[in-house]
Amino acid sequence: PAMGALWSDQRRCELMLEIEIAVCAALARRGTIPQEAVDEMRAKARVDAARVAEIEAVVHHDVIAFVTAVAESVGDAGRYLHFGMTSSDVVDTAFAMQLVEASRILLATLDELRTAVRRQAEAHRDTLMVGRSHGIHAQPITFGLKLSGWYAELTRARRRMETAAAEIAFGKLSGAVGSYGVNGPDLEAEVLAELGLKPEPVATQVVPRDRHAAFFSTLAVVA
């Protein structure tokens, strides 16, 4: 259920809204937009995934639909939403937040599995069973030995998962084509730190996809 909720359209929209407001707050601290607008956003801003889908069916653009839906809830303050940002700033950064949270769930589950397997390995350290080689009976082993091999593999899997989680925890707020044409690297670093992410060192329009490829490859190996 926790993983299902994390990957719902509603949760994705809520994370996108969190990013938008965090950027606006950073802009207000710099005097670029009024603090009153940020206060109004925090008090009134809501997003409904169903409403976003309705608007997207008309405008055929996911982030325009999202920003429009949020702006409906905040009134005039909505004019400052998405200031200096490109679509992938909010989409890729929200995706990173989802993947980081998913990693926490997976790591916790791996820990539970490792604990269970170790408990059984110790309980069956003297439980004899047939070893196998070339598909036939070989010398005897214990079931505990068999489970110990699984435990060792799960331990390696956890280390790989930790590395993949660290490598995916990068967002971008560098604007169109990653050139910081409006908002600077200082704002990006400040906001991403609040969101628990690190700035992509060299982004284009998107966070580089090798990060995602490595993450999902790791999931395949763990599985």
Side-chain angles (χ1 to χ4, degrees):
M3 191 69 85
L6 174 61
W7 293 104
S8 68
D9 288 341
Q10 182 62 32
R11 183 58 180 154
R12 177 174 58 86
C13 287
E14 289 169 357
L15 290 172
M16 290 168 67
L17 179 55
E18 183 179 345
I19 295 163
E20 294 279 2
I21 294 177
V23 169
C24 286
L27 289 167
R29 288 192 289 270
R30 288 160 174 74
T32 306
I33 70 172
Q35 180 61 46
E36 293 77 13
V38 179
D39 295 340
E40 192 168 356
M41 288 179 199
R42 284 179 168 153
K44 298 180 179 178
R46 301 290 184 273
V47 63
D48 177 28
R51 177 58 180 150
V52 174
E54 286 178 3
I55 299 171
E56 186 176 355
V58 176
V59 301
H60 304 296
H61 192 288
D62 57 345
V63 178
I64 290 175
F66 162 77
V67 173
T68 302
V70 174
E72 289 177 345
S73 70
V74 297
D76 289 343
R79 73 180 68 187
Y80 299 109
L81 288 165
H82 211 64
F83 186 97
M85 300 170 69
T86 196
S87 295
S88 293
D89 284 355
V90 65
V91 170
D92 281 9
T93 301
F95 190 31
M97 293 171 73
Q98 287 176 294
L99 291 171
V100 167
E101 183 57 32
S103 298
R104 293 193 186 104
I105 297 171
L106 292 169
L107 284 166
T109 307
L110 270 172
D111 286 340
E112 292 177 8
L113 179 57
R114 287 172 66 246
T115 297
V117 172
R118 178 169 181 157
R119 185 185 304 118
Q120 292 297 328
E122 292 172 347
H124 290 281
R125 64 171 64 243
D126 296 320
T127 303
L128 289 173
M129 65 173 289
V130 173
R132 302 188 70 83
S133 176
H134 297 280
I136 60 173
H137 288 187
Q139 294 178 11
I141 62 171
T142 68
F143 188 47
L145 174 62
K146 193 177 192 71
L147 290 173
S148 294
W150 188 13
Y151 177 83
E153 185 173 349
L154 288 170
T155 300
R156 294 191 295 274
R158 195 192 194 287
R159 285 199 296 268
R160 294 185 184 110
M161 193 72 242
E162 284 182 318
T163 299
E167 289 184 349
I168 204 64
F170 284 77
K172 73 170 289 271
L173 298 170
S174 48
V177 302
S179 64
Y180 298 104
V182 179
N183 298 326
D186 59 320
L187 182 144
E188 178 185 60
E190 181 180 314
V191 172
L192 291 179
E194 292 175 8
L195 300 174
L197 302 175
K198 295 181 283 294
E200 181 58 48
V202 184
T204 56
Q205 183 76 9
V206 300
V207 170
R209 295 321 192 208
D210 65 292
R211 293 192 183 279
H212 306 86
F215 185 86
F216 290 109
S217 295
T218 299
L219 292 187
V221 174
V222 171

